[in-house]
Amino acid sequence: MSFYQQLTGLVAKGAGLLDEKSVIETRQFVVSLQNDDGGFSDRAGQSDLYYSLFAHFILKSTWSGGYQQKLKSFVAEKGKGSGAHLVDLCCLAILHKELNGTFFAGLNYLVSALKYLKPSKYGGSRAYPYFLLFLAFDVYGFNNRLTRWLARRFYRDEALNGLPCPALAAQIVFKNQLGHRVKNDSNLLFSYFDDRLGFKVFPETEKADLLSTSVALVALKTGGADLTLVAPACFRLVEANFRDGAFLSGDGDPHRDTEYTFYGLLALGALA
């Protein structure tokens, strides 16, 4: 099973832990965010590829209904634009492949995204671009022995101390997929955990949040770590932040969106 299939499987498993009423509410909430152009709203109400990918993850796991044709039209229109950055290119590649079901549907966007492997094209930590590109490659079936061998030749490990929790978790997933040892990295990730709250964006941060908790759980789970001790606090965080069919960020922000709803379902699936 590919990592992308594992990821969608965790979201589906998380949805399976909700009662029927909550599943219906979640589906209705996400569907309500689809705009007339077929895209799903970001936090400002604008159609956005990134948020549309989260919506697709959720609806694919909870409903096989009619959102796809409208979303396909939005993705096709967005693909005509120029100057797309890494996130949009990866979203275009994944959504084209998912919605059209053909290998060459969005391959050009995946090729365009490769330029971001150069440090000069993407500032700061490369953990996130590595992970996004890996996920897109995985969708297209390029996560195999040959490509992992080639990736190991070009991959340069970076210092993980000081990274925010999501970037550290993404790096752990990527390194694990390449066959590198991640035990020490997983131990570092555990230092972001508060046994009353969940995982925090930095060890010194006061509050835990759902994004950090969700991606930390997935990274630790796929890396073979034991989640027994962290599960109770993480489950409490997830449970406390479900509101009317959506999950909140967990850090006090009352806004509901597809991104954190995805993270909530993903966290539940990792804890299942």
Side-chain angles (χ1 to χ4, degrees):
M1 182 184 294
S2 72
F3 179 77
Y4 183 78
Q5 290 172 324
Q6 292 178 50
L7 208 59
T8 55
L10 289 174
V11 174
K13 187 179 291 186
L17 293 180
L18 300 177
D19 58 54
E20 184 177 356
K21 179 176 180 290
S22 296
V23 172
I24 292 172
E25 287 179 345
T26 300
R27 184 166 62 234
Q28 290 175 338
F29 167 70
V30 177
V31 169
S32 74
L33 295 177
Q34 189 169 31
N35 296 320
D36 291 340
D37 62 3
F40 287 82
S41 296
D42 60 14
R43 294 174 71 88
Q46 303 299 311
S47 293
D48 181 85
L49 283 166
Y50 188 59
Y51 284 82
S52 294
L53 181 60
F54 287 125
H56 174 65
F57 264 119
I58 297 165
L59 294 177
K60 178 182 179 180
S61 302
T62 63
W63 184 46
S64 58
Y67 75 96
Q68 293 188 2
Q69 194 57 47
K70 288 177 64 178
L71 179 57
K72 186 187 294 187
S73 298
F74 170 72
V75 172
E77 188 63 30
K78 292 294 286 186
K80 296 176 183 178
S82 59
H85 53 73
L86 172 64
V87 173
D88 280 354
L89 287 169
C90 290
C91 291
L92 282 167
I94 294 170
L95 285 170
H96 265 288
K97 177 67 166 57
E98 284 276 283
L99 296 170
N100 292 287
T102 58
F103 179 80
F104 294 104
L107 193 59
N108 55 314
Y109 303 111
L110 183 59
V111 172
S112 296
L114 287 173
K115 66 183 180 182
Y116 286 95
L117 285 175
K118 297 180 179 180
S120 60
K121 295 290 185 179
Y122 195 96
S125 169
R126 288 193 284 169
Y128 192 53
Y130 274 144
F131 179 76
L132 279 175
L133 282 169
F134 155 68
L135 190 62
F137 265 69
D138 195 72
V139 170
Y140 279 83
F142 290 131
N143 181 14
N144 54 48
R145 186 177 300 177
L146 175 61
T147 54
R148 287 193 294 270
W149 179 82
L150 290 171
R152 284 195 293 269
R153 307 278 293 181
F154 290 96
Y155 176 73
R156 295 293 180 270
D157 203 355
E158 62 179 272
L160 301 185
N161 286 300
L163 285 180
C165 182
L168 174 57
Q171 190 81 323
I172 289 172
V173 170
F174 186 74
K175 287 178 67 174
N176 184 54
Q177 287 288 315
L178 292 185
H180 292 295
R181 294 179 182 275
V182 295
K183 184 176 181 180
N184 290 338
D185 302 328
S186 295
N187 288 337
L188 176 61
L189 186 55
F190 276 119
S191 71
Y192 289 66
F193 176 71
D194 184 304
D195 60 7
R196 298 171 295 111
L197 305 170
F199 284 87
K200 302 178 290 186
V201 66
F202 291 106
E204 65 273 16
T205 304
E206 183 178 350
K207 293 184 178 181
D209 66 274
L210 195 56
L211 166 56
S212 298
T213 297
S214 177
V215 296
L217 289 171
V218 172
L220 293 169
K221 188 180 184 74
T222 57
D226 185 357
L227 300 181
T228 303
L229 294 179
V230 303
C234 294
F235 186 78
R236 286 195 299 271
L237 177 73
V238 175
E239 186 179 39
N241 285 283
F242 185 72
R243 296 283 191 283
D244 301 322
F247 287 91
L248 308 181
S249 64
D251 59 3
D253 185 350
H255 186 87
R256 301 185 304 151
D257 62 25
T258 57
E259 181 181 12
Y260 280 99
T261 301
F262 165 82
Y263 289 132
L265 294 174
L266 186 64
L268 282 177
L271 289 167

